[in-house]
Amino acid sequence: MKALFIGGTGTISSAVSRLLDEKGWELYLINRGTRNNALPDSVKVIRADINDEESVARLIDKMEFDVVADFIGFVPEHLERDYRLFKGKTRQFIFISSASAYQKPLSHYGITEGTPLSNPYWEYSRNKISCEEYLMRMYREEGFPVTIVRPSHTYGERSIPLGVHGGKGSWQVALRMLQGKPVIIHGDGTSLWTMTHNSDFAKGFVGLMGNIHAIGESVHITSDETLTWNQIYQCIADALGVRLNAVHVSSRFLALCSKDDYMGSLIGDKANSVVFDNTKLKRLVPEFTATIRFDHGIRQTVNYILEHPECQIEDIEFDQWCDKVVNALEAALKSINN
């Protein structure tokens, strides 16, 4: 079987690439070659900027694929380009959307693929919805063989998954934990969330590749494990071998006082309790089971990051912002109690 990935080196796609290599797929990637050193030797790289449509069209002119997957499509224009490039060249086109596209606020915490798509808080999610709508129209009107995959919060070895972090990643939160400083948890920490290890996600994704029953379908791929945010942060602290010093802060307050897009990533996503029903995925891929429990997976992640200094990117601005938020809450409490 022959596949082409647009992207292929991110948290999700790198795990899929590794699993396809193990299963003997012939895999091509289209990317600019900036993070290809960790790829299996068998992967063939088509070095190009996917946005240079004419150049890419020449490079793939004589090629056809069983599966093409776009991991870096974010707005409808990206998918319109993909349609022009790959119509008639693939038996299946997989678009990686996002589970954040599901209705916010949720009318029911249990999410199936039938849950409405609507997110007024996050432009990222609304753009993903528009991408899905375009592709499904191409499926209905033109027979374009689309499968839509919606990941939720998927993590790997290079970054610690969190609810609140700065623009430079999650290391600064881990560093605050190591230093014994207060760490912000949104809300009261009791809302429900799902973390999925990228190797588990890869099993579901590869099971959908070349699967005739997945054509025209939308499927989310997540773990069946549900955790509270308090449990998530405690697992991270345990993996670091430190005591968790948690400060709980209203999600809306965080959204209003941060330069980062917490209105989208919190109010439009992580502040909501979500529990995913993977019945549809398991019907399409009967062998799928997510086997990596979060407290085990996060230890692998933390150990990798501690052993690789290049993953330890400090974020002084975010660190100072955290201190301001914590100090402001303490000052407010003192003023009320005096």
Side-chain angles (χ1 to χ4, degrees):
M1 298 285 280
K2 185 177 178 180
L4 171 69
F5 287 175
I6 303 169
T9 60
T11 297
I12 290 176
S13 54
S14 60
V16 177
S17 297
R18 289 192 294 267
L19 184 56
L20 287 178
D21 178 64
E22 294 175 14
K23 291 183 173 294
W25 279 65
E26 183 181 0
L27 178 60
Y28 292 78
L29 305 185
I30 291 180
N31 63 41
R32 288 176 288 189
T34 56
R35 291 181 57 189
N36 290 337
N37 56 326
L39 292 171
D41 293 337
S42 63
V43 174
K44 302 173 179 65
V45 176
I46 301 172
R47 195 179 298 271
D49 181 346
I50 187 61
N51 294 307
D52 185 352
E53 186 175 336
E54 290 186 8
S55 175
V56 172
R58 288 194 300 270
L59 291 169
I60 65 170
D61 181 46
K62 304 298 183 182
M63 305 177 75
E64 292 186 359
F65 304 93
D66 294 293
V67 180
V68 172
D70 190 344
F71 289 87
I72 54 173
F74 299 105
V75 294
E77 290 78 10
H78 295 163
L79 283 307
E80 292 167 6
R81 173 207 63 209
D82 291 349
Y83 176 74
R84 291 190 297 267
L85 284 169
F86 299 108
K87 181 183 179 182
K89 284 185 169 292
T90 183
R91 292 188 176 92
Q92 182 186 31
F93 180 88
I94 302 179
F95 169 57
I96 290 72
S97 183
S98 170
S100 69
Y102 288 121
Q103 181 185 63
K104 303 296 184 305
L106 287 161
S107 57
H108 190 274
Y109 73 94
I111 294 178
T112 72
E113 286 81 359
T115 298
L117 303 182
S118 175
N119 193 328
Y121 303 102
W122 205 358
E123 184 180 15
Y124 164 81
S125 304
R126 293 194 297 274
N127 285 337
K128 288 287 192 179
I129 293 169
S130 296
C131 291
E132 289 195 25
E133 290 173 342
Y134 168 76
L135 288 172
M136 292 308 294
R137 188 167 72 251
M138 293 302 98
Y139 168 70
R140 290 191 299 268
E141 297 177 1
E142 305 293 335
F144 193 52
V146 172
T147 299
I148 292 168
V149 171
R150 299 178 185 134
S152 186
H153 205 155
T154 307
Y155 69 102
E157 69 274 10
R158 299 182 63 87
S159 181
I160 297 169
L162 293 163
V164 179
H165 60 79
K168 295 183 179 179
S170 58
W171 169 248
Q172 194 66 44
V173 178
L175 187 58
R176 288 181 71 88
M177 288 186 182
L178 291 167
Q179 294 170 342
K181 298 176 74 173
V183 172
I184 294 171
I185 300 178
H186 60 278
D188 64 1
T190 62
S191 58
L192 302 176
W193 197 245
T194 299
M195 294 287 189
T196 306
H197 196 273
N198 62 358
S199 62
D200 280 334
F201 176 91
K203 290 186 288 187
F205 191 90
V206 171
L208 294 172
M209 292 178 65
N211 187 331
I212 60 171
H213 302 292
I215 304 299
E217 298 287 352
S218 301
V219 190
H220 52 239
I221 303 174
T222 77
S223 171
D224 290 316
E225 181 184 22
T226 302
L227 302 133
T228 67
W229 281 103
N230 287 331
Q231 289 174 316
I232 289 167
Y233 277 77
Q234 187 61 59
C235 286
I236 295 168
D238 290 345
L240 289 165
V242 298
R243 178 179 173 274
L244 177 63
N245 182 6
V247 175
H248 295 91
V249 184
S250 158
S251 297
R252 187 162 291 278
F253 181 84
L254 292 172
L256 292 173
C257 69
S258 172
K259 295 179 182 178
D260 294 301
D261 187 15
Y262 289 153
M263 186 61 71
S265 65
L266 287 181
I267 308 303
D269 196 27
K270 299 177 183 67
N272 298 269
S273 283
V274 295
V275 177
F276 293 93
D277 182 340
N278 285 298
T279 299
K280 185 174 184 179
L281 173 64
K282 292 173 182 177
R283 174 172 56 80
L284 293 168
V285 187
E287 68 274 19
F288 173 78
T289 304
T291 57
I292 298 184
R293 208 171 69 194
F294 182 70
D295 58 330
H296 295 169
I298 198 61
R299 288 184 184 276
Q300 299 173 19
T301 299
V302 165
N303 290 339
Y304 183 93
I305 291 173
L306 293 177
E307 293 170 0
H308 291 79
E310 70 274 14
C311 297
Q312 301 170 22
I313 302 173
E314 294 193 34
D315 191 341
I316 303 304
E317 184 179 359
F318 173 75
D319 193 55
Q320 293 172 344
W321 177 83
C322 288
D323 290 337
K324 285 183 180 180
V325 171
V326 172
N327 292 338
L329 289 174
E330 291 177 350
L333 186 61
K334 285 182 182 178
S335 68
I336 292 172
N337 289 335
N338 287 339

